[in-house]
């Protein structure tokens, strides 16, 4: 996401929510004394930004059901192979191939990891609107499964990636074993970020999300191995 897109999202967000001015500056890339605080919670290593000059961590909590911005301004819904079966069945498809043909769109897109490495991914994505086109990939679209009360009409069988936001994850080789890492994705759409001196305030969220993140990352990696998508680095 470009800084311009993040700024536009933040401007929209601030119409309804308070955003700490320091966090706004951070998200726009204007704060440089940021260090990475790593904390292992169960099977996941979380990378939490620490603003040295403010002596504060960037923490997060979710404001749902008062907020459903991540569904209102959805950018892409890549599906895992588990999602293809579960969601296909949930939408009453007898054959996964028919579900893929009618309800998904395949796109190729690039992402940057926190280490600066560029990854090119090809993924099968759930259409956020019935007539979604490849050209609309990565743009903000209000998801067709968002109901009038701000809930997901597919819940609990919604795509794994929906449980993940606002984290992004990756795998690293640690002594021959796959280690799951996670950090935030700052798109400017989530009002849940806040500054705090003590990381303990987010203890429960880190505990809850550790399992979600671990299961999703392994499922996503398996999806690539099963050729329901591809990933290349560099
Ligand atoms: S945008 Fe953030 S606060 Fe709002 S529902 Fe999504 S994760 Fe929660
Ligand atoms: S599928 Fe459900 S949880 Fe995911 S973006 Fe759509 S409404 Fe939100």
């Amino acid at each position: 996401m470009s800084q311009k897109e993040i700024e536009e999202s933040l401007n929209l967000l601030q119409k309804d929510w308070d955003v700490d001015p320091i966090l706004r500056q951070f998200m726009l890339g204007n704060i440089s004394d940021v260090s990475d605080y790593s904390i292992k919670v169960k099977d996941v290593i979380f990378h939490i930004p620490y603003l040295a000059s403010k002596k504060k961590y960037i923490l997060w909590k979710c404001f749902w059901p008062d907020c459903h911005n991540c569904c209102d301004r959805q950018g892409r819904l890549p599906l895992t192979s588990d999602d293809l079966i579960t969601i296909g069945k949930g939408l009453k498809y007898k054959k996964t191939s028919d579900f893929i043909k009618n309800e998904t769109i395949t796109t190729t897109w690039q992402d940057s990891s926190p280490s600066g490495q560029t990854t090119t991914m090809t993924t099968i994505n759930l259409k956020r609107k019935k007539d979604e086109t490849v050209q609309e990939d990565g743009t903000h679209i209000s998801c067709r499964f968002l109901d009038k009360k701000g809930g997901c009409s597919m819940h609990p069988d919604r795509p794994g990636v929906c449980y993940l936001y606002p984290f992004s994850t990756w795998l690293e080789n640690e002594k021959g074993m796959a280690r799951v890492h996670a950090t935030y994705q700052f798109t400017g759409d989530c009002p849940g970020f806040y500054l705090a001196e003590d990381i303990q305030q987010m203890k429960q969220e880190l505990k809850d999300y550790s399992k979600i993140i671990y299961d999703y990352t392994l499922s996503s990696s398996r999806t690539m191995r099963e050729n329901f998508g591809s990933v290349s680095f560099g």
Side-chain angles (χ1 to χ4, degrees):
M1 255 185 125
S2 71
Q3 292 300 90
K4 191 169 170 282
E5 286 170 313
I6 295 173
E7 187 170 12
E8 284 168 4
S9 297
L10 279 169
N11 291 345
L12 266 178
L13 184 70
Q14 289 187 276
K15 288 184 178 172
D16 296 316
W17 296 89
D18 289 333
V19 175
D20 186 312
I22 297 169
L23 281 176
R24 182 183 164 96
Q25 286 308 311
F26 167 79
M27 288 185 220
L28 293 176
N30 297 332
I31 292 184
S32 55
D33 63 336
V34 186
S35 53
D36 172 18
Y37 177 80
S38 303
I39 178 170
K40 183 169 176 288
V41 182
K42 292 194 263 184
D43 293 319
V44 175
I45 296 181
F46 287 89
H47 298 262
I48 308 290
Y50 178 72
L51 307 187
S53 63
K54 314 291 175 205
K55 294 191 172 61
K56 285 187 175 161
Y57 298 93
I58 300 182
L59 305 187
W60 169 84
K61 64 179 171 203
C62 184
F63 287 120
W64 190 87
D66 294 326
C67 171
H68 35 82
N69 266 9
C70 44
C71 304
D72 255 333
R73 290 174 54 74
Q74 242 305 325
R76 178 184 301 115
L77 290 171
L79 299 177
T80 64
S81 45
D82 294 338
D83 289 332
L84 291 174
I85 294 165
T86 313
I87 298 173
K89 274 188 189 157
L91 293 179
K92 312 283 180 231
Y93 280 91
K94 288 203 174 80
K95 289 189 200 160
T96 304
S97 55
D98 286 340
F99 163 69
I100 292 175
K101 191 170 147 211
N102 293 332
E103 307 286 350
T104 72
I105 190 164
T106 301
T107 62
T108 298
W109 45 281
Q110 287 195 323
D111 200 12
S112 294
S113 76
S115 62
Q117 187 177 47
T118 303
T119 311
T120 303
M121 313 269 292
T122 298
T123 51
I124 299 173
N125 311 320
L126 185 64
K127 286 181 185 170
R128 295 160 294 163
K129 58 176 187 171
K130 269 276 181 200
D131 57 354
E132 183 177 337
T133 64
V134 171
Q135 289 72 27
E136 289 172 310
D137 182 56
T139 62
H140 295 293
I141 291 175
S142 184
C143 180
R144 61 185 160 132
F145 299 104
L146 180 63
D147 66 25
K148 286 193 173 69
K149 290 182 183 160
C152 175
S153 60
M154 281 197 291
H155 186 77
D157 294 333
R158 54 185 167 149
V161 73
C162 298
Y163 286 96
L164 205 66
Y165 187 85
F167 291 96
S168 68
T169 75
W170 69 99
L171 280 170
E172 276 183 22
N173 184 324
E174 190 181 296
K175 295 179 188 156
M177 300 281 288
R179 166 68 68 196
V180 178
H181 291 253
T183 193
Y184 306 125
Q185 43 173 312
F186 293 104
T187 61
D189 296 309
C190 179
F193 295 107
Y194 63 100
L195 293 169
E197 286 173 9
D198 189 350
I199 207 160
Q200 288 301 314
Q201 289 184 43
M202 198 180 151
K203 204 173 148 195
Q204 192 56 47
E205 280 84 359
L206 291 173
K207 225 168 140 188
D208 295 346
Y209 272 74
S210 180
K211 180 162 172 42
I212 293 169
I213 286 171
Y214 184 82
D215 290 348
Y216 174 79
T217 309
L218 292 199
S219 175
S220 176
S221 169
R222 197 165 56 244
T223 302
M224 298 301 160
R225 288 202 306 277
E226 291 169 351
N227 288 326
F228 286 109
S230 70
V231 57
S232 63
F233 302 98

